[in-house]
Amino acid sequence: MNLRETLKINEKGHLEIGGMDTVDIAEKFGTPLYVFDEDYIRKMMRVYKNTIEKEYDGNGQVLYASKAFSCEAIYAIAKQEGIGVDVVSGGELYTALKAGFPLKKAYMHGNNKLLRELDFALDNGIGSIVVDSFREADIIEELAGNKGIKQNVLIRINPGVEAHTHAFIQTARTDSKFGFSVSDGSAEELIAYILKKKNIVLKGYHCHIGSQIFEKRSFELAAEKVMDFSAYIKKKLGFEVSELNMGGGFGVWYNEEDPKLKSADYENYLKALIKTIKEKADEHGLKLPYLLIEPGRSIVGEAGITLYTVGAIKEIKGVKKYVAVDGGMFDNPRYALYQSKYSVLLANRAKEPCTEKVTVAGKCCESGDLIAVDVSLPEAKEGDVMAVLTTGAYNYSMASNYNRNFIPAAVLVKDGKADYIIKPQTYEDIVRNDLIPESLKK
Ligand code: LLP
């Protein structure tokens, strides 16, 4: 298997991450367990930060899209690396705050931000809010007025580029619950509306064209459209953007069907974006905007793996072999939701040849609770440690206590040392918020 640089197979034939034997990690911390490589996370944050530094004179900021993996430690790393974050709920905002993250460097997203979330964000000095409805603009105007502040905002626009992993489509009108279309006049309407507000300072536009994208042209096309739109609005309404947030979406390697990108490839995505913005600014006589990008998956995705222990094995003769693990859709719902394909290996027997195709099943009471279908492995036995790769993004953040299973703990590995960043749940956690009304106690 084509392992990335922080994973290797050691002389015992065990998988290593961040210089630590995963079999030792599993023994020490138990399974299922999320394991994150700190160096990889930092490296990816720096790749984007340094590219903005070098190619755009530092006139911008990386915002880690914390929906990909949110916990206090990740905001602490982002703070140390000097980057910003994107948050999408009061919960993410609170986690950042609790980790001591400077909220001036936080941008808040959401198509239906709640009044209490906006109130909380303004009270805690959120850097900017990405407005996604007229109603939201009204709420911010009133809240900011009551608090005697002026709130910076961007508005979310749809440039009519929708990107999928290996392709993109251009649509005149984007059917999406997010943003306002540049082509049907609705984005323009919202801009005009916000420009009349007294307590809101419109800084510019945000767009996000999709996730798990490999096609460089998608990013260029989005930048072209947004810059053309900026020029149009400047002419029409006299408003010129000072900030442009181009979202996230850079793809990662999950399995052999995906390209295996290196730091230079991620740099190239950003360079292409920057080049387009510079060319378009030139063409339209616009000032170069402060540039924001919001990578999530590409920062934490490949940094993470999940360790499981193999349990029940069931062979349905002539049909399929199921290898069940001690996790499942409650720690990784991505197969159940998107039929995502993962790379799987036996961490304690990583050098052995693969001799069979199996389906890795979870332990939930649901047939669709699968982690990987038709993956090649050596003949798995009860007690083997299984590693699923590239689980750092959208696994923990989408985990649940379905079937009242524990959401696994997470450890951060660096220089051959692992520390908890999310501690294990207990049965007490499972019932923490449960109440039995008096009437049911009789
Ligand atoms: N900015 C905005 C406004 C977004 O909506 C997203 C992701 C990002 C940034 C970060 O995109 P990334 O760099 O991570 O691709 N649960 C799905 C992914 C949903 C992505 C939602 N938005 C999954 O597991 O694949």
Side-chain angles (χ1 to χ4, degrees), residues 65 67 86 156 208 211 249 294-297 334 338 394 398:
K67 74 206 76 182
D86 127 15
R156 180 156 183 169
H208 171 78
S211 198
E294 294 171 336
R297 191 191 310 268
R334 295 191 73 258
Y338 320 118
Y394 306 110
M398 295 203 297

Side-chain angles (χ1 to χ4, degrees), residues 48 63-68 86 88 109-110 130 156 178 206-213 245-251 254 293-300 332-334 337-338 340 342 393-395 397-398:
Y48 293 121
L63 307 174
Y64 162 63
S66 63
K67 74 206 76 182
D86 127 15
V88 291
H109 279 284
V130 182
R156 180 156 183 169
F178 300 109
H206 166 276
C207 79
H208 171 78
I209 55 170
S211 198
Q212 185 60 359
I213 302 167
N245 183 335
M246 294 300 299
F250 310 104
Y254 283 104
I293 53 156
E294 294 171 336
R297 191 191 310 268
S298 55
I299 290 180
V300 289
N332 182 359
R334 295 191 73 258
L337 281 173
Y338 320 118
S340 305
Y342 281 94
Y394 306 110
N395 273 225
S397 61
M398 295 203 297

Side-chain angles (χ1 to χ4, degrees), residues 47-264:
V47 164
Y48 293 121
K49 190 175 177 209
N50 294 342
T51 308
I52 292 181
E53 216 49 67
K54 268 203 321 252
E55 305 292 325
Y56 205 60
D57 294 329
N59 183 28
Q61 189 174 194
V62 183
L63 307 174
Y64 162 63
S66 63
K67 74 206 76 182
F69 176 54
S70 175
C71 66
E72 289 183 42
I74 199 77
Y75 297 104
I77 295 177
K79 181 180 171 186
Q80 283 184 349
E81 291 296 327
I83 67 168
V85 297
D86 127 15
V87 294
V88 291
S89 68
E92 286 185 357
L93 190 66
Y94 181 78
T95 312
L97 189 65
K98 187 111 190 299
F101 189 85
L103 292 190
K104 271 270 144 280
K105 292 173 100 167
Y107 281 61
M108 186 169 202
H109 279 284
N111 65 307
N112 183 28
K113 301 176 194 76
L114 308 179
L115 173 61
R116 65 172 161 77
E117 291 177 316
L118 289 166
D119 193 42
F120 181 53
L122 263 62
D123 275 345
N124 287 287
I126 188 96
S128 191
I129 297 179
V130 182
V131 175
D132 202 355
S133 70
F134 285 86
R135 152 204 178 266
E136 187 185 336
D138 293 340
I139 295 175
I140 297 173
E141 171 75 357
E142 193 179 331
L143 286 175
N146 292 343
K147 295 175 201 297
I149 56 176
K150 303 262 179 256
Q151 181 60 49
N152 288 340
V153 304
L154 300 178
I155 66 155
R156 180 156 183 169
I157 62 173
N158 285 329
V161 179
E162 201 183 305
H164 301 281
T165 301
H166 296 286
F168 59 84
I169 51 166
Q170 290 184 64
T171 53
R173 226 190 114 98
T174 318
D175 173 9
S176 169
K177 70 172 184 170
F178 300 109
F180 287 82
S181 171
V182 300
S183 58
D184 70 0
S186 59
E188 180 178 337
E189 218 181 297
L190 180 63
I191 294 165
Y193 190 71
I194 288 188
L195 286 173
K196 289 199 203 99
K197 302 282 186 198
K198 286 198 285 297
N199 308 314
I200 298 183
V201 184
L202 179 62
K203 291 284 192 179
Y205 312 134
H206 166 276
C207 79
H208 171 78
I209 55 170
S211 198
Q212 185 60 359
I213 302 167
F214 291 108
E215 180 63 63
K216 192 160 74 181
R217 185 74 192 117
S218 313
F219 297 110
E220 291 169 345
L221 202 57
E224 282 170 18
K225 301 234 172 189
V226 173
M227 290 299 282
D228 287 344
F229 179 69
S230 300
Y232 165 78
I233 291 293
K234 186 180 171 194
K235 251 195 221 131
K236 186 87 189 285
L237 303 176
F239 168 73
E240 184 165 3
V241 291
S242 55
E243 273 187 30
L244 200 56
N245 183 335
M246 294 300 299
F250 310 104
V252 302
W253 177 86
Y254 283 104
N255 63 74
E256 304 303 335
E257 288 167 18
D258 298 322
K260 188 124 190 56
L261 302 186
K262 297 203 165 33
S263 303

Side-chain angles (χ1 to χ4, degrees), residues 386-405:
M386 184 181 286
V388 179
L389 310 185
T390 316
T391 57
Y394 306 110
N395 273 225
Y396 175 76
S397 61
M398 295 203 297
S400 73
N401 285 119
Y402 185 41
N403 287 173
R404 296 231 143 177
N405 283 299

